[in-house]
Amino acid sequence: MTQRGFLVLADISGFTEFLAQAELDHAQDLIGELLDLIAGRLSQGLTLVEVEGDAVYVYAPDDRFVRGETLLEILESAYLAFRDRLETIRRNTTCDCGPAGPSPTST
């Protein structure tokens, strides 16, 4: 049976480079926090399938959204929350052991 719907894979670009440059203890905590944030935002309308590595995978059946714009609003909300949290982390980082996170153009 063919089913129609939406598949979303939110991937943090620059993740591997970030891990290579950052202090591992800080990097894993930061990436975990950012993935939790993204998963939480995307789960407000989509079904969480998995968080793996630097990616969040969610889906929704075609009939979940009465308005097509709703999906775009969820995606935008997740991206803006990610970008804002990343910027806050950068401003508040006092450790000089490595970068303060992946690029804000990620996800």
Side-chain angles (χ1 to χ4, degrees), residues 55-95:
V56 176
Y57 175 47
V58 293
Y59 78 95
D62 194 33
D63 61 355
R64 171 93 36 104
F65 305 109
V66 176
R67 297 179 27 237
E69 293 86 1
T70 303
L71 176 59
L72 295 176
E73 291 165 355
I74 292 169
L75 297 175
E76 182 179 38
S77 171
Y79 171 74
L80 293 175
F82 167 83
R83 186 196 65 195
D84 291 348
R85 182 64 188 129
L86 192 57
E87 185 57 34
T88 299
I89 290 168
R90 282 198 172 123
R91 279 194 311 262
N92 294 328
T93 297
T94 57
C95 177

Side-chain angles (χ1 to χ4, degrees), residues 15-71:
F15 172 76
T16 303
E17 179 183 354
F18 170 67
L19 284 181
Q21 295 177 0
E23 179 68 33
L24 193 56
D25 290 340
H26 299 304
Q28 290 188 353
D29 290 343
L30 174 60
I31 294 299
E33 178 183 341
L34 293 170
L35 287 170
D36 287 347
L37 175 70
I38 294 166
R41 290 296 176 122
L42 293 178
S43 294
Q44 297 174 5
L46 296 123
T47 301
L48 179 65
V49 175
E50 183 175 19
V51 176
E52 180 69 34
D54 66 337
V56 176
Y57 175 47
V58 293
Y59 78 95
D62 194 33
D63 61 355
R64 171 93 36 104
F65 305 109
V66 176
R67 297 179 27 237
E69 293 86 1
T70 303
L71 176 59

